[in-house]
Every structure is written in C-alpha cells, then in structure tokens.
Amino acid sequence: MLKKIFFVITARASLPRVKSVIETCKKKKNLKVYVIAASSMVSNKYGEAVKDLKKNGIECNWQLPCLFDDHHISSQPNSTANLILQLTSIFHNNRPDAVLTVADRYETIATAIAASYMNIPLLHLLGGEVTGNIDEKVRHSITKLSDFHFVSNKDSFSRVKKMGENPKNIFITGCPSIDIAKESKKYSIKKIVLDGVGNNIDLSKDYCVVLQHPNTSRYMYSRDDVKCILKAIKKIDCQCVWFWPNPDAGTSQLSEGIRSFRELEKIDNVYFVKHLQDIKFLSLLNSSKCLIGNSSVGIRECSYLGVPVVNIGDRQKNRLRANNVLDTTHNLESIISSIKKQFQRKKYKSSNIYGDGNSGKKISEIISKLSFTYEKQITY
C-alpha cells in the first residue's frame, strides 16, 4: 500500500535536518513524498532557502508565506496561527497518511497542531532535547502531540520516555544534519562563492564564522547583544563571515544593531551573508578557525566536524554538547578571551553524540515499515 508522507519545512536550518530523510524516503517504493516549504524558507529576506530544494532534486509541492512583521514578539503567535490555517486546508484537501515535522522552531508547532487535531499521525524529528528559550516549550509540546519520535541519542530517548511516550514509538536514529556534515568534509571550499555585503573574504586564509540569533527570552536586548559581538570581532585580527539571523522576536532589533554599527564604526574584516546552501555552509564551517554566536549548529554539526565554538548566552542552555564548545556571556572581554582560546585550537576530536552520518537511511527504513496510528497510549 502506497503511503503519502508530508514533510513540512519552516526554516533554512530545518532543511539539512530532514533532507537526507526526504531523499531516502523518495527511493522507497511504498512511500510517496510531498514537501511543504513555509515561513522563512520561502522568504527573500532570509535567503529563500526553498531554492535549495530544487538544487538537491527535491520537488516543493506547496510554498506557504506566513511571516508577520518581526519587530515585536507578537509576530511569533501571529505567524504560527497563519500557518495553522494554511496547513489545515492542505491536509484537509490531500489527506496525508502521516506528517513529519522538524525539531523546535516556534512555527513548527503549527504543523503539529494541524496534523494532530485532524487525526493525522505525526512524526517528529529531534525531540527530547533541551535549550534555553521558547524552543524548549515548543519541542516538548510537539513531542506530546506526536505519535512517533526520531531522536538523536540516548539522552533524548530517555527524556521523551519520561514524558510518558511509548518506548516502542521512540527511535534513536541520530540527527540527519550530521549526514550533510559528513558529506561536507569532501566538499571543496574552492567551490564556495559568497554573495553578500562588506569587504570580500579570502577563504584561503584564516577566517571565523558568526551566526547569532535573538534570544527570545531577552529579545529586547538583541541590539546590545549583537553590538557586543561586533566590537569583539572588530578587535580580533581575523576575517569573519557573518550570517543573517533567523526570524524570531528581536530579529529586527538585532539587524538594526548590525546596520547602525556598520554605519558608525569602520569594520573592515566582516562580510555579511544572508544564506548559503547547507553543504556549502557546513564546508565553510569545517574550514573555519571558529564558530561564534548562539546557533545550535555549533552544538550539533560542529561537534561532529570538531570545529571550535564560542557559544554566547543562554539560547543553547543545557543542550547536550561535546568538548568543542566554550560557553560565555554577553561580556566583551569574556567573548574576546574565549575567541582567542579557541583560535589556539585546531580541531577537536569528532563526536557522534548527534549521529554518525547515516540517519536519513535509518529513519526512512523505519517509516517505510511503520503501521501509522494516531491512537495514543501514554505510559507513566
């Protein structure tokens, strides 16, 4: 029997965490794959990562713009509500056999609500992890709405089980983004062409990467936080590739902080980029001296690549991490000191705490054999 699986991708960071699953599911004769791209995935402001689907030979069946003005924290519930309405219509008209949602972005709960309320079996990637902002609440809420769970490691398995989920429906598969990280080790950095603003970067010389998102629990300080990091980058003698943040509460304040700093301060060692295709981005990271900021890529993919990371603030608070991560606060001297320490390192030993690079294959094998159900037997 042919089973229709709907994948909903709402952010550029979510694509590498599901891409290998889509690719391997497409090869299964009993699975029919449909892809929905929504939110920042289809937004020009955030690089239109939906275009990466086509580059990877993946058809996008629907594109759903849903983002509201991100100046205010109300944009998050408004964008989520907008997406619930659009997904409900698609699910009603096309009746998927199962829907798969990814991780913990705030808007992903729209997928979970629409599917679970319509008695459609829900598959969840990367539940059971912990962080320090709204993602924490969203992820665990999606876990309770989901019927089947594909987690990164034993730590996540244990947490999902403690939440009352049936152990038979929890599968330790690793994170599919590690599949792309594994592939990126073979990708030549000479193929990478950066498209952004600022002074050009010579990738044959030393450089670092910055990826700083707003911390939604203190979004009102986003402008100050980013200026602190910019001052640190200005003081260190190293080229820097700086990637634009995700659409969260505080993104506009953060972006304004970057723009005002560039106008008032001469900063000639930074090149600002909206977006880079996943394998190119991870290849860029793999060859860098250090990743600076608060992105989960520093905790997850960089642990496998062994890239030194300076993790700033509480956005990744309590997330399982390897030895490559050095945590610091939004203090100028502390950030500079941490960067200098990591610059003295070359690479850390590769860690498999988030997978071994074969997650997509494992997950697609399980999905192809699952008997889908939305009848939930909670175990306590």
Side-chain angles (χ1 to χ4, degrees):
M1 178 182 174
L2 191 65
K3 296 187 284 188
K4 297 191 296 183
I5 314 297
F6 280 44
F7 292 80
V8 184
I9 313 171
T10 63
R12 62 187 180 187
S14 298
L15 178 54
R17 290 166 190 169
V18 73
K19 186 175 77 170
S20 63
V21 183
I22 295 173
E23 291 172 338
T24 49
C25 280
K26 285 175 64 180
K27 297 176 182 178
K28 299 294 181 182
K29 293 182 179 180
N30 67 329
L31 301 180
K32 177 65 175 176
V33 169
Y34 296 84
V35 176
I36 300 171
S39 193
S40 61
M41 273 287 291
V42 299
S43 170
N44 176 265
K45 184 176 181 179
Y46 297 97
E48 285 184 288
V50 65
K51 294 178 180 178
D52 293 347
L53 289 171
K54 187 174 182 180
K55 292 176 184 177
N56 287 286
I58 298 173
E59 179 185 358
C60 180
N61 302 93
W62 293 274
Q63 295 188 36
L64 307 181
C66 69
L67 289 179
F68 277 66
D69 191 326
D70 57 3
H71 279 81
H72 195 270
I73 199 166
S74 63
S75 65
Q76 295 182 155
N78 283 332
S79 299
T80 302
N82 189 350
L83 186 55
I84 291 173
L85 293 173
Q86 296 185 70
L87 288 173
T88 298
S89 178
I90 290 173
F91 295 163
H92 175 74
N93 292 328
N94 297 275
R95 297 307 301 177
D97 293 296
V99 171
L100 186 145
T101 191
V102 185
D104 54 15
R105 287 282 309 162
Y106 69 84
E107 68 274 13
T108 59
I109 201 167
T111 307
I113 291 172
S116 61
Y117 281 24
M118 298 178 71
N119 291 341
I120 301 169
L122 183 65
L123 319 179
H124 185 207
L125 296 187
L126 311 180
E129 300 176 18
V130 292
T131 48
N133 65 349
I134 186 62
D135 296 352
E136 170 94 355
K137 298 178 180 180
V138 168
R139 186 188 307 105
H140 296 332
S141 297
I142 293 175
T143 289
K144 298 309 299 179
L145 290 170
S146 298
D147 303 290
F148 300 94
H149 315 270
F150 301 91
V151 300
S152 294
N153 44 51
K154 292 180 180 179
D155 183 70
S156 296
F157 177 94
S158 176
R159 193 168 288 109
V160 172
K161 181 181 176 182
K162 287 178 180 178
M163 292 172 70
E165 296 303 297
N166 189 338
K168 294 181 180 179
N169 293 338
I170 312 170
F171 307 95
I172 301 175
T173 59
C175 175
S177 67
I178 304 302
D179 300 6
I180 315 302
K182 183 178 181 180
E183 187 182 351
S184 74
K185 289 184 175 183
K186 304 174 186 177
Y187 193 92
S188 173
I189 195 170
K190 294 179 180 179
K191 296 181 180 180
I192 298 175
V193 178
L194 297 176
D195 182 16
V197 296
N199 290 345
N200 289 329
I201 297 294
D202 185 350
L203 297 181
S204 66
K205 299 179 180 179
D206 286 345
Y207 64 89
C208 61
V209 177
V210 175
L211 184 49
Q212 172 74 10
H213 302 302
N215 185 336
T216 54
S217 62
R218 48 173 283 138
Y219 73 97
M220 65 292 292
Y221 299 108
S222 295
R223 191 180 181 116
D224 294 334
D225 290 347
V226 77
K227 282 191 174 183
C228 183
I229 300 172
L230 281 161
K231 288 178 181 178
I233 296 300
K234 185 177 180 179
K235 283 183 176 291
I236 64 173
D237 184 24
C238 186
Q239 303 180 105
C240 173
V241 183
W242 190 303
F243 284 88
W244 221 241
N246 285 335
D248 293 312
T251 293
S252 290
Q253 294 94 323
L254 194 154
S255 302
E256 288 165 3
I258 293 174
R259 292 189 182 100
S260 66
F261 191 90
R262 287 181 60 214
E263 291 173 2
L264 298 173
E265 304 272 352
K266 184 180 179 182
I267 182 164
D268 54 13
N269 63 333
V270 181
Y271 192 71
F272 296 94
V273 179
K274 269 188 183 181
H275 173 68
L276 193 63
Q277 188 180 356
D278 49 25
I279 190 168
K280 295 179 181 179
F281 173 67
L282 292 175
S283 176
L284 184 80
L285 272 182
N286 191 40
S287 297
S288 70
K289 287 181 68 67
C290 180
L291 172 67
I292 302 160
N294 61 4
S295 170
S296 62
V297 71
I299 310 296
R300 193 182 302 273
E301 289 91 335
C302 286
S303 69
Y304 179 83
L305 295 173
V307 173
V309 173
V310 174
N311 180 62
I312 304 171
D314 292 336
R315 187 178 172 100
Q316 304 303 329
K317 185 178 181 181
N318 295 326
R319 191 189 283 273
L320 184 68
R321 61 199 65 202
N323 294 328
N324 66 308
V325 179
L326 186 58
D327 292 296
T328 187
T329 61
H330 287 281
N331 174 275
L332 179 60
E333 296 306 320
S334 178
I335 293 172
I336 292 172
S337 174
S338 298
I339 292 172
K340 287 180 177 179
K341 285 180 183 178
Q342 292 292 51
F343 275 8
Q344 293 173 3
R345 299 285 309 223
K346 289 189 177 179
K347 280 288 187 76
Y348 286 82
K349 183 180 179 181
S350 177
S351 169
N352 285 350
I353 58 173
Y354 285 101
D356 59 7
N358 295 294
S359 298
K361 183 177 180 181
K362 294 175 186 177
I363 294 170
S364 64
E365 284 288 334
I366 296 169
I367 291 175
S368 69
K369 297 174 182 177
L370 276 178
S371 297
F372 295 132
T373 178
Y374 55 84
E375 295 294 337
K376 196 156 187 170
Q377 181 63 55
I378 306 298
T379 59
Y380 292 106

